[in-house]
C-alpha cells in the first residue's frame, strides 16, 4: 500500500503510546515462565508482540485480554507443553532470540521459524553462546529455522558479548535462570537493560564493562506489570515536532529508560527543545512525559558508545540530520545491516531518491546537500522503522511525496498514521 503526504503547517497536541515493544516482549516471556496469573497493563499492540504471544500459546500458556490489559496464566518452570507445530516468530528478532535461550532449557524438542526478513537475519550470535552452555541447538546456515533438542548438560557460562546486542544478552540470561550456579554476561557497550531491570538481576558496573548475573534464584514469579509507552515509537513524532514551525507536542507516560533515550540526548545536543517532566517508576522502569517544541537543529559528532542506545532510532535521527546545520555523519553502526532490512542501504537508497549526496560506508553513511522540494516516492523496504522515518521526511517535503509499502508500520505501531493525523494542522 502507498500513502502520499502534504506539508503540515504545525504540530500541536498530546499523544500517548501503547506499551513499549521491548518491555512488552519481556513481560510476556516472564509471565509465561512464572507459575500462575500475571497481569500486563498497557501491553504493546504491535505485530511483533503478537508473535511472542502466539509462540507462548503454542507452549500451553493461556492469555485473555481485558481492555488494554493482558492476563497471562504462566506454566511455571520447565512445565511448558511440547509444541505440535513449528514456533513462528513472524518478523520479530526479539521473539526468536529470547525464545532460543528459553527453549534450550526445556525437556522437549522445538523449532523456531520466521518470515522472509527474519529468516535472513543472523542467529549464530545466539547459537554460539547457547552451545557453550551445552545446548542442543542447530541451524543449517546460521539463520532460522533453528532446531532445539533437550539436553541434560546445561551449564552456566561467563560470556563476553562479541556484539552489542540486548537480544543475545537476554537469551543467555534467560537460559541461565534455569541453573543453580551463576551465569555471567559481560558487555563493553551498554545495551538496553530491560531484562536485568525486570528480573532484578545483580549487576556490576565499572567504567570499562558491565557484568550481569543470572541464576534460578531470579526465575520470574507471577505479578502485575505496567508497560510505559513506547519511546521508540515516539521518536518519529518528536523529530517531526522539532522540525515543524510553531509546534508543541506533549507525549505522556512514555518509557524514559536511559538505555533507550540516547536519541533524546543527541537531539538535545543538536539544540532540540525537549523537556522531561513527571518522572515515575514501575517494574523498575522509569517513565514520564516529554514536551517538544520547534527548534533550529545543528549536527554533532555521534560517539561509538551511544550507538547501541540509539540503534532503532538511527533512521529517524537521520531525518533530523538532513535538516540540521552542517554535515550529518554516523559510523560504527554496521549492526544496522542486520535489522528488518539492511538499514544502511535502505536509508542511503531513499536519500539518493530525495536528491541528497550520500556516501555509504560499511559501518554507516554521511549526507550532504539539500532536499529538492519535488515530489518523491520512497520505499519502505518492508521495514517498519524505514516506513515511518520516510513518512516523516515525505511530510516535511510535502508536494504529495509518497511512501510505498506502509503496511509494515504495524510491526511496531499500528496507530502510527492515526496518531500523525491527530497532531497535524495543514
Ligand atoms: C531489542 C534489541 C535490539 C533492538 C530491537 C529490540 C530487544 O536488537 O534493535 O529492536 O528488545 O532486546 P539487538 O539486540 O539485536 O541489538
Amino acid at each position: 500500500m502507498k500513502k502520499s503526504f502534504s506539508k503540515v503547517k504545525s504540530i500541536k497536541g498530546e499523544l500517548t503510546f501503547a506499551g513499549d515493544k521491548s518491555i512488552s516482549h519481556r513481560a510476556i516471556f516472564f509471565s509465561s515462565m512464572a507459575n500462575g496469573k500475571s497481569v500486563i497493563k498497557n501491553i504493546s499492540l504491535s505485530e511483533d508482540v503478537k508473535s511472542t504471544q502466539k509462540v507462548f500459546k503454542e507452549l500451553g500458556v493461556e492469555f485473555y485480554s481485558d481492555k488494554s490489559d493482558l492476563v497471562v496464566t504462566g506454566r511455571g518452570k520447565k512445565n511448558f507443553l511440547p509444541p505440535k507445530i513449528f514456533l513462528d516468530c513472524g518478523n520479530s528478532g526479539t521473539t526468536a532470540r529470547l525464545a532460543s535461550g528459553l527453549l534450550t532449557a526445556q525437556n522437549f524438542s522445538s523449532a523456531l521459524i520466521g518470515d522472509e526478513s527474519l529468516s535472513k537475519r543472523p542467529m549464530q550470535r545466539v547459537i554460539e553462546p547457547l552451545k557453550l552452555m551445552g545446548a542442543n541447538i542447530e541451524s543449517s546456515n546460521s539463520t532460522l529455522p533453528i532446531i532445539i533438542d533437550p539436553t541434560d548438560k546445561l551449564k552456566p557460562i561467563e560470556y563476553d558479548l562479541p556484539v552489542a546486542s540486548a537480544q543475545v544478552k537476554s537469551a543467555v540470561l534467560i537460559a541461565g535462570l534455569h541453573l543453580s550456579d551463576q551465569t555471567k554476561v559481560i558487555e563493553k557497550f551498554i545495551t538496553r537493560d530491560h531484562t536485568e531491570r525486570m528480573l532484578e538481576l545483580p549487576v556490576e558496573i565499572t567504567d570499562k564493562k558491565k557484568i550481569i548475573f543470572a541464576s534460578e534464584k531470579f526465575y520470574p514469579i507471577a505479578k502485575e506489570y505496567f508497560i510505559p509507552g513506547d519511546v521508540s515509537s515516539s521518536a518519529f513524532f518528536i523529530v517531526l515536532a522539532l522540525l515543524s514551525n510553531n509546534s508543541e507536542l506533549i507525549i505522556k507516560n512514555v518509557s524514559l529508560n536511559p538505555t533507550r533515550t540516547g536519541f533524546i540526548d543527541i537531539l538535545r545536543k543538536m539544540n532540540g527543545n525537549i523537556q522531561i517532566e513527571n518522572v515515575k517508576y514501575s517494574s523498575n522502569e522509569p517513565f514520564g512525559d516529554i514536551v517538544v517544541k520547534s527548534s533550529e537543529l545543528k549536527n554533532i559528532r555521534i560517539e561509538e558508545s551511544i550507538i547501541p542506545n540509539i540503534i532503532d532510532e538511527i533512521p529517524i535521527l537521520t531525518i533530523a540530520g538532513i535538516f540540521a546545520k552542517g554535515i550529518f555523519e554516523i559510523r560504527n553502526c554496521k549492526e544496522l545491516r542486520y535489522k528488518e532490512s539492511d538499514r544502511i542501504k535502505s536509508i542511503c537508497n531513499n536519500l539518493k531518491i530525495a536528491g541528497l549526496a550520500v556516501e555509504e560506508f560499511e559501518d554507516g553513511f554521511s549526507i550532504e546537500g539539500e532536499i529538492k522540494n519535488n515530489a518523491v516516492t520512497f520505499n519502505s523496504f518492508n521495514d517498519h522503522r524505514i516506513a515511518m522515518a520516510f513518512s516523516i521526511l515525505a511530510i516535511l517535503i510535502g508536494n504529495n511525496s509518497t511512501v510505498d509499502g506502509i503496511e509494515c508500520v504495524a510491526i511496531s505501531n499500528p496507530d502510527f498514521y492515526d496518531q500523525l493525523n491527530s497532531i497535524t494542522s495543514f
Side-chain angles (χ1 to χ4, degrees):
M1 210 198 303
K2 272 187 186 176
K3 190 171 172 65
S4 59
F5 300 88
S6 0
K7 211 170 180 132
V8 297
K9 236 207 227 132
S10 69
I11 298 294
K12 288 230 187 299
E14 196 177 293
L15 288 175
T16 53
F17 290 88
D20 183 79
K21 183 156 83 76
S22 285
I23 304 176
S24 296
H25 278 301
R26 286 160 173 84
I28 294 182
F29 266 83
F30 303 152
S31 51
S32 298
M33 291 162 68
N35 190 11
K37 219 162 248 182
S38 292
V39 178
I40 309 177
K41 294 188 171 290
N42 198 38
I43 185 85
S44 160
L45 304 174
S46 66
E47 289 301 317
D48 270 6
V49 168
K50 287 189 188 144
S51 293
T52 289
Q53 204 179 321
K54 210 168 118 197
V55 163
F56 281 103
K57 247 191 203 155
E58 186 53 35
L59 296 171
V61 176
E62 284 172 21
F63 296 94
Y64 77 85
S65 295
D66 181 8
K67 296 187 189 125
S68 67
D69 294 355
L70 183 69
V71 182
V72 185
T73 309
R75 303 273 325 170
K77 201 172 187 182
K78 291 208 169 192
N79 199 30
F80 289 115
L81 301 180
K84 292 195 194 70
I85 52 171
F86 292 166
L87 298 168
D88 188 354
C89 305
N91 192 248
S92 173
T94 308
T95 311
R97 299 204 178 103
L98 271 58
S100 303
L102 179 64
L103 293 168
T104 279
Q106 308 306 315
N107 41 21
F108 51 75
S109 298
S110 54
L112 292 164
I113 56 169
D115 72 4
E116 201 186 323
S117 147
L118 186 57
S119 301
K120 288 189 196 131
R121 293 177 64 189
M123 293 295 153
Q124 196 56 31
R125 52 182 61 199
V126 282
I127 293 174
E128 203 170 283
L130 293 173
K131 273 199 161 160
L132 291 173
M133 294 182 86
N136 244 329
I137 180 168
E138 296 298 339
S139 116
S140 57
N141 52 359
S142 304
T143 54
L144 294 179
I146 287 178
I147 314 289
I148 302 168
D149 290 312
T151 175
D152 52 9
K153 296 195 181 69
L154 207 63
K155 59 174 194 298
I157 53 166
E158 186 171 319
Y159 193 62
D160 252 298
L161 275 183
V163 274
S165 163
Q167 293 175 355
V168 176
K169 166 174 72 177
S170 302
V172 174
L173 293 171
I174 289 172
L177 292 173
H178 297 80
L179 299 166
S180 53
D181 289 333
Q182 262 181 350
T183 290
K184 295 184 198 172
V185 179
I186 302 158
E187 50 185 19
K188 188 163 104 198
F189 293 121
I190 291 181
T191 65
R192 64 190 66 194
D193 63 358
H194 306 301
T195 299
E196 48 269 49
R197 275 179 192 259
M198 293 169 77
L199 293 170
E200 297 184 45
L201 301 180
V203 296
E204 259 175 45
I205 303 179
T206 67
D207 51 351
K208 291 217 172 61
K209 61 183 181 191
K210 174 177 173 188
I211 312 176
I212 309 110
F213 303 85
S215 69
E216 63 184 6
K217 235 169 71 190
F218 301 94
Y219 193 87
I221 50 165
K223 61 175 180 174
E224 184 176 300
Y225 296 90
F226 167 74
I227 317 288
D230 193 310
V231 70
S232 296
S233 295
S234 80
F236 302 96
F237 300 92
I238 291 176
V239 168
L240 179 62
L242 287 172
L243 297 175
S244 305
N245 294 328
N246 304 317
S247 296
E248 179 166 346
L249 176 66
I250 301 168
I251 295 166
K252 302 286 269 186
N253 290 331
V254 71
S255 168
L256 294 172
N257 179 310
T259 61
R260 296 287 300 285
T261 51
F263 76 96
I264 295 177
D265 303 336
I266 289 182
L267 288 169
R268 277 175 154 173
K269 283 191 190 142
M270 289 172 76
N271 234 0
N273 186 341
I274 305 176
Q275 307 300 324
I276 307 280
E277 296 175 354
N278 302 323
V279 181
K280 299 171 269 243
Y281 277 82
S282 177
S283 302
N284 248 342
E285 290 278 351
F287 67 101
D289 305 337
I290 300 177
V291 183
V292 192
K293 293 184 182 157
S294 317
S295 305
E296 291 284 325
L297 301 182
K298 62 173 181 10
N299 277 309
I300 57 159
R301 191 183 144 77
I302 301 175
E303 299 295 335
E304 182 178 8
S305 57
I306 202 167
I307 297 291
N309 205 302
I310 60 168
I311 194 75
D312 291 343
E313 287 71 48
I314 293 173
I316 188 62
L317 277 175
T318 304
I319 307 303
I322 298 171
F323 294 92
K325 233 200 220 136
I327 295 172
F328 178 83
E329 178 171 288
I330 187 151
R331 303 297 296 265
N332 303 302
C333 56
K334 192 167 173 210
E335 269 298 299
L336 282 188
R337 294 202 182 271
Y338 312 117
K339 295 295 175 189
E340 287 81 333
S341 69
D342 173 343
R343 286 188 179 154
I344 294 183
K345 248 200 172 43
S346 306
I347 292 170
C348 290
N349 283 356
N350 274 338
L351 294 178
K352 283 178 200 155
I353 292 172
L356 290 160
V358 182
E359 190 173 357
E360 181 176 333
F361 309 106
E362 192 46 28
D363 69 342
F365 52 92
S366 69
I367 322 164
E368 259 189 275
E370 276 187 15
I371 293 269
K372 322 256 179 301
N373 276 6
N374 302 323
V376 279
T377 299
F378 296 118
N379 192 333
S380 75
F381 296 93
N382 221 1
D383 178 335
H384 56 130
R385 298 200 201 278
I386 298 295
M388 292 187 280
F390 284 90
S391 293
I392 300 298
L393 181 55
I395 291 175
L396 293 163
I397 297 173
N399 292 326
N400 288 321
S401 289
T402 302
V403 180
D404 198 1
I406 56 159
E407 308 73 32
C408 57
V409 301
I411 287 297
S412 56
N413 184 7
D415 296 332
F416 178 74
Y417 292 110
D418 289 341
Q419 289 167 336
L420 258 185
N421 273 341
S422 76
I423 54 162
T424 43
S425 59
F426 296 93

